[in-house]
Amino acid sequence: MADLKGSKYDPHPLTGDSTGDGAGGDSTPDPDAGKDLSYLMPSVTVAWDTPPSFNLPPKSDTPEGAPSSEVVDTGPLFVDADSVRAAEETVLGLLRSAAFDYQLLRIATMALRTDDFFGPPQPKQPLAAMNANGPGNSSGAAPMPDGQTDPEGTEAVAEMGRKFGETIKPAMEKALWQMANSLTLTGQYLAVVNRAGQMYAQVDRKATFPDPPAHPATE
């Protein structure tokens, strides 16, 4: 049997650290617990129905449309415009589907409540009423003295759900923020690809032989 190799990670992730209380896990409180981070979840839509035509002139980044003085030194180029357009349409369709799914998840997250994460709390009942139908509760425990409530621990479970909801909802909102950023960056990349196709098409249209001189050098 091979010897176990050491790891740079915590070998006991379920036990408390040196600063914890020894109850297990990280004892550091969540700084985002209970916060409303819904403002981090933007509404995402796809602006294009179809990619802009390569026959359109590309937009200029220079002020007032002035031509740039920087020219990239490249060799011969060959671009298959049909393949680029097919890839654009494929990515655009995937972006549209992803944006739709994101919006559904965003709506569900915004509607999530933290005070009843495990369901609404059950109304309290005197234990005398619970003891009337049997020798114990549903867990098999012995009956508790009359007048006491919550023999099943529903209040404790509801409190655990509340604390969990206050922690998990901000984490979900931050995760959706990252999803929205990823969708936005993908859309920006697709716009760059489209502009590159327009630039190539513009160069191709202008790559023509000049007119012959009015007075040839030889007759």
Side-chain angles (χ1 to χ4, degrees):
M1 182 176 178
D3 295 335
L4 297 177
K5 295 183 178 180
S7 173
K8 64 179 181 179
Y9 302 105
D10 186 359
H12 305 290
L14 299 181
T15 60
D17 54 22
S18 58
T19 60
D21 55 4
D26 188 359
S27 61
T28 304
D30 184 1
D32 294 327
K35 292 183 178 180
D36 181 11
L37 302 182
S38 59
Y39 64 91
L40 293 177
M41 302 185 299
S43 179
V44 176
T45 58
V46 178
W48 291 349
D49 293 329
T50 57
S53 172
F54 290 159
N55 293 325
L56 297 175
K59 295 181 180 180
S60 176
D61 289 335
T62 54
E64 299 180 359
S68 174
S69 60
E70 298 181 1
V71 178
V72 180
D73 185 11
T74 63
L77 295 177
F78 173 77
V79 176
D80 188 343
D82 291 336
S83 297
V84 176
R85 176 45 54 92
E88 274 188 305
E89 293 177 346
T90 299
V91 175
L92 186 61
L94 294 174
L95 270 177
R96 189 175 290 109
S97 298
F100 178 78
D101 293 338
Y102 166 85
Q103 287 295 108
L104 293 180
L105 186 57
R106 175 177 176 267
I107 294 173
T109 303
M110 293 181 67
L112 181 66
R113 292 179 55 180
T114 60
D115 56 345
D116 59 349
F117 197 85
F118 293 157
Q122 299 297 323
K124 295 182 179 181
Q125 297 181 4
L127 191 62
M130 300 180 184
N131 291 342
N133 297 327
N137 53 44
S138 62
S139 63
M144 298 176 66
D146 291 348
Q148 293 193 20
T149 59
D150 197 27
E152 306 287 349
T154 54
E155 291 184 8
V157 173
E159 178 65 13
M160 291 171 57
R162 183 187 65 78
K163 291 182 179 180
F164 178 73
E166 289 181 351
T167 300
I168 195 62
K169 187 173 183 180
M172 295 168 65
E173 291 167 342
K174 289 191 292 185
L176 283 169
W177 171 68
Q178 294 177 336
M179 294 177 190
N181 284 344
S182 298
L183 293 174
T184 301
L185 291 174
T186 305
Q188 292 175 352
Y189 172 77
L190 186 62
V192 170
V193 172
N194 182 266
R195 181 179 177 184
Q198 292 178 343
M199 295 176 67
Y200 175 81
Q202 185 181 55
V203 171
D204 188 63
R205 289 192 298 269
K206 294 184 177 181
T208 58
F209 289 102
D211 297 333
H215 301 285
T218 60
E219 295 183 356

